[in-house]
């Protein structure tokens, strides 16, 4: 009778569970019978480089970078697409023309939005 | 846990039976896997690096696993000049190491301030704040000297007791595991030394 091929996986999972549990159990027993735990404020501190931590870890980052991303798309990426568009303009089929117009429209929408938001004003 | 009679042990070993005690097994494992904390302070650290590299090869003694986190280290090698700016960080790192933990004070600077003892910003010995197990004189001590200190530490670990009144510090609930971190005062660190730890040798002068 050949053993079930999945039997090996079961054995493998069993060994993988028992193998780390044995040292953990031994460590627990050792602590229980010999070594008294000595916790302390610094021993339990989160940061482990020797310097005391300052403030909270759960702070919010300002996600303003997306404005730069939008304006970069409008003024740089769009220019790269516009040059081949202008060069091949006379030989373009209608489908390609409409496609590039849609692309331009999307970007112009972004420009209008950024303008309306006041991001194009020079910060003083 | 009790000591094994040497004659009986030899007799049994000749018959191919090895006996050991829990204490021996525990210390044997500990002394052959001392993981130092990976940090260097000044020129002595170069010698420490040389000790860890292939020519001197501290791995022969089981100490090659330099850990960058105090949470995984057993041994702190204070290798170099301890400035007063750095001292609180060192004490804090020592506090964050789990028990059992040991300290090697490497070089004249870590022992007493060394060539910079007169400096306004140099701590005159790390043993003012944390207990030191092995001191290595020299400026800098050669890698062989660090290996010697390592072997001395192994000998010390090997002789530590598991139970009884003279058991190792980390097994004694009354012994502290953290030491107060000094703070920056107006002219010096506050306090300038931890009196519970620092017991300077008495100087006897002949008249
Ligand atoms: S003891 Fe000498 S070699 Fe070591 S850190 Fe001090 S000055 Fe440098």
């Amino acid at each position: 009778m050949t053993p079930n091929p999945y039997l090996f996986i079961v054995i493998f999972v069993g060994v993988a569970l028992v193998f780390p549990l044995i040292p953990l159990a031994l460590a627990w027993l050792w602590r229980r019978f010999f070594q008294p735990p000595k916790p302390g404020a610094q021993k339990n501190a989160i940061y482990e480089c020797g310097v005391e931590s300052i403030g909270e870890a759960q702070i919010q980052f300002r996600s303003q970078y997306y404005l730069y991303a939008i304006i970069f798309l409008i003024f740089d990426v769009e220019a790269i697409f516009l040059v081949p568009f202008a060069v091949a303009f006379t030989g373009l089929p209608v489908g390609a023309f409409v496609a590039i117009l849609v692309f331009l429209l999307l970007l112009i929408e972004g420009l209008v939005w950024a303008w309306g938001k006041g991001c194009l004003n020079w910060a003083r | 846990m009790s000591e094994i009679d040497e004659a009986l042990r030899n007799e049994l070993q000749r018959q191919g039976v090895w006996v050991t005690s829990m204490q021996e097994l525990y210390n044997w494992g500990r002394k052959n896997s001392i993981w130092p904390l990976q940090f260097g302070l000044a020129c002595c650290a170069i010698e420490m690096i040389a000790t860890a590299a292939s020519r001197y090869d501290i791995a022969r003694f089981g100490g090659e696993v330099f850990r960058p986190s105090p949470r995984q280290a057993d041994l702190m090698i204070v290798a170099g000049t301890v400035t007063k700016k750095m001292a609180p960080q060192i004490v804090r790192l020592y506090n964050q190491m789990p028990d059992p933990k040991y300290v090697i004070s490497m070089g004249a600077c870590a022992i007493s301030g060394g060539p910079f003892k007169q400096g306004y910003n140099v701590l005159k010995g790390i043993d003012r704040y944390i207990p030191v197990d092995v001191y290595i004189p020299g400026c800098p001590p050669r890698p062989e000297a660090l290996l010697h200190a390592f072997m001395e530490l192994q000998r010390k670990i090997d002789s530590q007791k598991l139970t009884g009144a003279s058991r190792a510090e980390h097994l004694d609930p009354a012994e502290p595991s953290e030491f107060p971190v000094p703070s920056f005062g107006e002219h010096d660190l506050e306090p300038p030394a931890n009196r519970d730890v620092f017991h300077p040798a008495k100087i006897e002068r002949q008249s």
Side-chain angles (χ1 to χ4, degrees):
Chain A
M1 186 194 101
T2 53
N4 190 328
Y6 285 107
L7 188 64
F8 295 109
I9 295 182
V10 172
I11 294 172
F12 189 75
V13 167
V15 170
L17 278 178
V18 169
F19 205 70
L21 282 181
I22 289 174
L24 283 178
L26 279 178
W28 185 83
L29 282 177
W30 187 264
R31 201 218 61 184
R32 178 89 179 65
F33 290 107
F34 290 104
Q35 188 159 346
K38 293 179 186 175
Q42 279 161 26
K43 220 183 215 177
N44 295 344
I46 298 165
Y47 215 33
E48 44 191 69
C49 76
V51 180
E52 269 175 316
S53 51
I54 302 166
E56 290 287 312
Q58 282 82 15
I59 56 168
Q60 279 189 333
F61 286 96
R62 292 159 71 92
S63 60
Q64 282 180 324
Y65 190 71
Y66 75 100
L67 283 177
Y68 291 93
I70 288 177
I71 292 174
F72 176 77
L73 271 183
I74 293 168
F75 289 111
D76 287 60
V77 181
E78 186 185 7
I80 294 173
F81 283 104
L82 276 187
V83 171
F85 173 60
V87 170
F89 186 65
T90 47
L92 275 186
V94 180
F97 185 73
V98 172
I100 201 83
L101 277 192
V102 170
F103 173 68
L104 282 182
L105 192 72
L106 284 175
L107 286 173
I108 287 168
E109 220 179 303
L111 180 63
V112 170
W113 187 80
W115 201 333
K117 209 143 194 270
C119 328
L120 298 185
N121 295 336
W122 194 260
R124 255 179 288 260
Chain B
M1 219 65 64
S2 58
E3 297 296 317
I4 304 161
D5 184 32
E6 272 307 310
L8 179 64
R9 189 212 296 262
N10 288 344
E11 178 66 34
L12 281 170
Q13 221 167 70
R14 231 169 289 132
Q15 307 301 322
V17 181
W18 259 259
V19 286
T20 184
S21 64
M22 185 94 118
Q23 178 179 310
E24 268 173 29
L25 203 63
Y26 176 57
N27 285 343
W28 172 79
R30 277 190 323 135
K31 82 169 193 222
N32 289 310
S33 61
I34 303 177
W35 291 7
L37 183 60
Q38 185 181 37
F39 84 112
L41 294 171
C43 7
C44 274
I46 305 296
E47 302 294 311
M48 182 176 76
I49 295 164
T51 318
S54 52
R55 190 178 179 97
Y56 295 98
D57 196 13
I58 206 170
R60 292 176 292 158
F61 303 91
E64 80 281 17
V65 199
F66 278 80
R67 303 315 297 194
S69 162
R71 303 269 154 78
Q72 302 163 0
D74 307 306
L75 167 66
M76 181 179 231
I77 303 177
V78 185
T81 322
V82 186
T83 57
K84 286 180 180 164
K85 192 91 176 174
M86 194 65 194
Q89 275 72 265
I90 292 183
V91 178
R92 212 172 278 126
L93 282 178
Y94 177 80
N95 287 347
Q96 288 185 342
M97 282 162 63
D99 287 285
K101 48 189 168 187
Y102 303 91
V103 178
I104 289 180
S105 176
M106 180 180 184
C109 285
I111 294 176
S112 67
F116 314 114
K117 189 177 172 69
Q118 311 290 328
Y120 66 95
N121 61 341
V122 173
L123 185 73
K124 283 128 192 92
I126 191 60
D127 54 358
R128 284 168 185 246
Y129 294 115
I130 54 178
V132 174
D133 295 282
V134 186
Y135 296 87
I136 327 172
C139 179
R142 284 191 53 87
E144 291 95 331
L146 182 55
L147 286 180
H148 182 223
F150 206 81
M151 287 156 72
E152 282 300 322
L153 184 67
Q154 287 185 326
R155 233 162 269 151
K156 171 173 180 165
I157 292 174
D158 209 18
S159 67
Q160 284 190 319
K161 298 266 180 297
L162 212 53
T163 49
S166 61
R167 62 182 182 267
E169 287 102 19
H170 67 279
L171 302 174
D172 191 346
E175 290 284 341
S177 163
E178 284 191 11
F179 292 90
V181 178
S183 57
F184 301 122
E186 199 180 343
H187 299 298
D188 200 356
L189 289 170
E190 289 296 335
N194 182 357
R195 287 288 151 199
D196 300 335
V197 176
F198 185 46
H199 305 293
K202 285 263 182 332
I203 299 173
E204 287 176 19
R205 290 201 173 82
Q206 256 105 43
S207 55

